[in-house]
Amino acid sequence: MKIRLGLVVLMVAAVVAVPRCFAADSSAPRVALVIGNGKYPDADKPLSQAVSDAREFADELKRAGFDAELGEDLSGDAMRRAFDRLYQRTKPGAAALVFFSGFGIQSGRQSYLIPVDAQIWTEPDVRRDGIALESVLNELNSRGASVKIALVDASRRNPFERRFRSFSAGLAPVIAPSGSLVMYAAALSAVVTDNDSAHSPFVSALREEIRTPGLSAEEAFNRTRTAVTRASRGEQVPWISSSLAEDFVFAPGVATADKPTAEKPAAATAPVEAAKPAPAPPEAKPPQAAEAKPASGGDDDKLVLALASDPTVKSLTAQIADKPSDGNAYYRRGQVYASKGAYRTAIKDFDEAIRLNGKDVEAYNNRCWVRTVIGELEPAVADCDQALLLRPNFVDALDSRGLLHLKSGRDKAAIADFDAALKVNPRLTSSLYGRGLARKRIGLTSEGEIDLTTAKKLDPNIGKEFAGYGVK
């Protein structure tokens, strides 16, 4: 699977979705966590804007009535403790806000906030050391925050990407609970370069807009998007996704209209296409789906119905309606469906992506993997074979085909594919674990145990992941 790297994550999580007058008069409880991580040992130099942005934004939030905690250059343990304190402060109906500036990594369609002491060499390291944005929003939701807002300024190229066999720049589209507002400082696949100013253009514009009396958070973020896009001459275009049912206002008062406003997004706002649009690169198989059980047709329909209001799905569906020949939009929507367990619907989108582009190697690989998960093994073989024909030694397709051989009982063939994948990436956890299972099946017990032990050290959850595939 591929990884999107190069992000600094600014998160604002949760503001109260109470009646408009209650939100506007700022009487709802407001709590915030603001983190600026700039001193990463793996980076060539400290991030010059991360801490200064965090300090200024924390001050701005305090002026807006938030009980804001500020953290600078936090380790993994310190970050987890800070989030725990935020969760404890988040009461039903409260506004909970998180701001993170630093490095982040996208892995398996989730964006992870990276602490300064993270040791990241492989994908399992990301899940071990990083903190998932979706998990933060879901936890805030479970604590009763009526509105969750995540602001993400995470488009710097980070130092970890060169360690992976493949990567994708930019942030992952977040699948957040209802009542969430997410804003990224740049398009999903875009990478921007820091300027020499003390603060990022995104935070500078955002601070100015949230001061406007009576201006809703959505409108403030739309204005921020317009300001950043214009200031960068289209080089940096923020992305917004919203499922808010009520307005939240940072500064009480009567809204002003002295500035041109951007068009208010629907449930999800795709990045404005500017001078240099950067379509999101495809990724390989989404690991979230690995933990889900194969869905029946009825379950699939229920999942699709539930996802119909998801901001990312709505945005991609709108793109497809506007441009039915957009194979990448079908591919990306298929990824979302697969990541949530709507496997058969995901296959339909991969079918369409392949129909539109018969050389879409990633779509073939993903369709192979999804078919393997739901037990359509023979068609899966054809898909993986085609992916490897298009891209020989494609490590993700080798890993996928190894899994389907394992499910089919072709243990020696599985070992051959896992061996080939491990020649490319010796620390590929899924191939190590799969090979360990296959080796034990054919009587190579000690060699298999070594593989399984090594894989579990790299990723303690790998056994649960394979159980989700139906393989033990």
Side-chain angles (χ1 to χ4, degrees), residues 55 57 91 107 113 119 150 233 242 244 263 276 301 337 340 379 391 418 430 450 466-467 470:
R55 291 173 179 173
F57 203 75
K91 308 301 180 184
S107 172
L113 316 183
Q119 297 294 312
R233 297 183 179 181
S242 175
L244 290 183
E263 181 181 355
K276 293 185 179 180
D301 292 341
Y337 286 139
K340 294 303 178 182
R391 188 184 298 174
F418 289 138
S430 53
I450 290 172
F466 267 69

Side-chain angles (χ1 to χ4, degrees), residues 33-37 70-76 78-79 82 114-117:
L33 172 62
V34 180
I35 299 173
N37 281 352
L70 173 64
E72 300 178 11
D73 295 321
L74 298 185
S75 66
M79 280 183 63
I114 305 301
V116 295
D117 64 345

Side-chain angles (χ1 to χ4, degrees), residues 20 212-216 219 223 249 251-258:
R20 181 186 301 262
T212 305
L215 194 66
S216 71
E219 189 61 23
R223 290 186 179 190
V249 177
V254 179
T256 61
D258 56 340

